[in-house]
Amino acid sequence: MMKKLARTVSRFSRFFDPFLVFGIFVLFAVPVITLLNLTPTYISPQTHTENVLGTTDQNNVSVTTNPEAQAGISVEKMTQTGDNSYTIYVQTDPHQAGAYGNRLFTATNSTHEEKTLVVTSTFENISPDTKVSLLVDSVKFIVRDTDGTTYPPAIYLKPNSSVNVFVEIENASPVNFISGFSLDVTVE
Amino acid sequence: MSKLLPKILSAAVFPAALMIVSKIAGIALVNSITGLDWGLQTNTGTLFSVEVLYPSLHDAVSVNSYSNLFMTILLAAGTGVLLFQSYFLNASHQNPKVIVKLIHFDFLLWLSESSTIFPRLTVWLSFLWLATIVCLSQSLQSLVYPWISIAALVTSIIFTWLASHTIEEELHTILPEHGTLSS
């Protein structure tokens, strides 16, 4: 009986070998992974800069906002959110039905390469039927249509040139509250 | 079931734990000696979410280097003890006078069987080499002072040579000539 039991244990014990090998592997791997994760890090320079009026990114493309309000449209603030990206907060005062516009910013490409500004938008506090467009050299880019659909226009920047970017806000009915939206501009 | 695998597994527990604890202790030691500002931050991008944070790259490299040095010294000390044990084990096989000397210095309890020492020695050497490889890779990324990695590499090479020399002598004791077992 005991012999039979010992033989059975001996037969099944060989199945433990892979588990032992795995256990050894884990015992070697865990300290190394822990060691790499315990490697101290340092605080990198802050890239999130609040409320800048103008800035130049690492690719030498400067974005300068228009400080003047016109037709109830003003740039509330601009925030640098990354090396090549900014967020422009636009505010509009209560207004009658119609189209209103103002210059938002000027982008200057000081490099000898072609650059592109990709503009994405976020609308949280705006009348539902508002149509928002960007105007660059008389070309109109629709950013938000009256049905709420948003589009991310790409503005082409020639080498050593600058463009003025205007915003046009259209409403079919009067807007009786202060509305606003943000534009994320990324230089590519 | 293999007899060697459980021995390796049980031998690996202590150096594995020592590697982690000595790294943490090294960081704490350098912090307390130098009085550097430090903090912890959570980063979900890594496997372990907690990171030790310093105000500058110089401080981070300094703490990382000296904590790695502390860890390597402890691993080398553990390997050194096993080398010492295996050396006297071998010497006692060849010369009975060594046993008398060991009794005189109260070191007899340090001796153990070769079947126990050599798997442990191999495991400790493996951990020492792992620590060296981590130091070297971090030196290439400028996260550890190069002299620490070079010192770890030299120590590992010397200890490996000593271990292989001891194992070779032990094999000669068992198989003295022509590869046949001694009676």
Side-chain angles (χ1 to χ4, degrees):
Chain A
M1 180 68 185
M2 287 302 287
K3 264 186 181 178
K4 198 178 176 185
L5 184 71
R7 211 180 301 138
T8 312
V9 169
S10 165
R11 194 182 297 162
F12 282 101
S13 65
R14 76 180 73 154
F15 295 109
F16 287 111
D17 284 355
F19 294 104
L20 288 174
V21 171
F22 179 72
I24 292 165
F25 172 76
V26 168
L27 273 177
F28 277 87
V30 166
V32 174
I33 295 167
T34 311
L35 206 66
L36 295 175
N37 278 280
L38 281 172
T39 302
T41 53
Y42 69 102
I43 303 164
S44 53
Q46 190 67 263
T47 54
H48 195 89
T49 313
E50 280 291 335
N51 203 13
V52 288
L53 289 173
T55 185
T56 305
D57 80 333
Q58 289 180 339
N59 298 327
N60 291 316
V61 173
S62 67
V63 176
T64 311
T65 53
N66 177 16
E68 290 176 12
Q70 186 183 305
I73 300 169
S74 58
V75 175
E76 191 185 357
K77 66 174 179 177
M78 181 165 84
T79 305
Q80 186 171 2
T81 51
D83 288 341
N84 304 316
S85 55
Y86 319 94
T87 302
I88 298 169
Y89 296 88
V90 183
Q91 186 176 296
T92 57
D93 293 337
H95 54 267
Q96 295 299 313
Y100 301 86
N102 189 10
R103 184 170 64 86
L104 276 188
F105 63 89
T106 304
T108 307
N109 178 12
S110 309
T111 68
H112 300 291
E113 298 167 3
E114 295 169 354
K115 298 284 179 184
T116 307
L117 298 178
V118 179
V119 183
T120 54
S121 48
T122 309
F123 299 92
E124 288 175 352
N125 179 28
I126 200 161
S127 179
D129 68 336
T130 307
K131 183 180 178 182
V132 180
S133 312
L134 293 180
L135 292 161
V136 181
D137 295 334
S138 304
V139 179
K140 187 186 270 190
F141 298 92
I142 297 173
V143 177
R144 184 192 190 273
D145 218 336
T146 49
D147 60 358
T149 312
T150 56
Y151 304 94
I155 299 164
Y156 174 68
L157 276 175
K158 290 177 188 169
N160 297 308
S161 69
S162 63
V163 291
N164 289 315
V165 180
F166 292 80
V167 67
E168 188 183 77
I169 297 168
E170 291 177 70
N171 284 97
S173 53
V175 178
N176 299 316
F177 57 91
I178 297 172
S179 53
F181 58 91
S182 59
L183 299 172
D184 294 313
V185 182
T186 307
V187 181
E188 291 181 351
Chain B
M1 187 165 59
S2 164
K3 286 179 182 175
L4 187 65
L5 289 176
K7 277 182 188 172
I8 292 175
L9 189 70
S10 60
V13 173
F14 183 62
L18 183 75
M19 205 169 173
I20 297 168
V21 171
S22 60
K23 176 71 183 179
I24 296 168
I27 291 172
L29 201 69
V30 177
N31 283 344
S32 65
I33 290 170
T34 55
L36 288 172
D37 290 329
W38 64 282
L40 295 173
Q41 78 167 8
T42 50
N43 185 357
T44 49
T46 57
L47 192 64
F48 296 110
S49 57
V50 179
E51 285 182 335
V52 187
L53 199 67
Y54 289 89
S56 69
L57 177 65
H58 175 263
D59 291 348
V61 170
S62 173
V63 172
N64 193 37
S65 300
Y66 290 117
S67 59
N68 276 7
L69 179 67
F70 183 68
M71 177 190 67
T72 310
I73 286 171
L74 288 189
L75 286 172
T79 314
V81 168
L82 287 171
L83 275 173
F84 180 80
Q85 280 184 304
S86 58
Y87 171 76
F88 279 109
L89 172 75
N90 187 260
S92 67
H93 282 172
Q94 290 172 355
N95 191 353
K97 282 182 184 173
V98 175
I99 292 188
V100 177
K101 273 190 183 174
L102 287 172
I103 292 169
H104 179 70
F105 290 109
D106 206 16
F107 273 159
L108 195 63
L109 284 174
W110 280 49
L111 284 186
S112 55
E113 288 178 44
S114 58
S115 61
T116 315
I117 282 187
F118 292 121
R120 281 164 63 202
L121 183 59
T122 312
V123 165
W124 276 83
L125 266 177
S126 306
F127 276 101
L128 186 61
W129 273 107
L130 276 179
T132 304
I133 289 165
V134 169
C135 286
L136 285 168
S137 69
Q138 291 191 334
S139 277
L140 291 175
Q141 298 168 58
S142 304
L143 294 171
V144 168
Y145 300 140
W147 66 266
I148 289 175
S149 302
I150 292 165
L153 182 67
V154 170
T155 309
S156 297
I157 290 170
I158 291 170
F159 278 23
T160 306
W161 180 78
L162 286 172
S164 64
H165 187 69
T166 314
I167 291 168
E168 194 181 10
E169 280 191 354
E170 181 66 18
L171 284 174
H172 272 287
T173 313
I174 302 166
L175 305 164
E177 285 176 64
H178 312 301
T180 53
L181 279 169
S182 58
S183 55

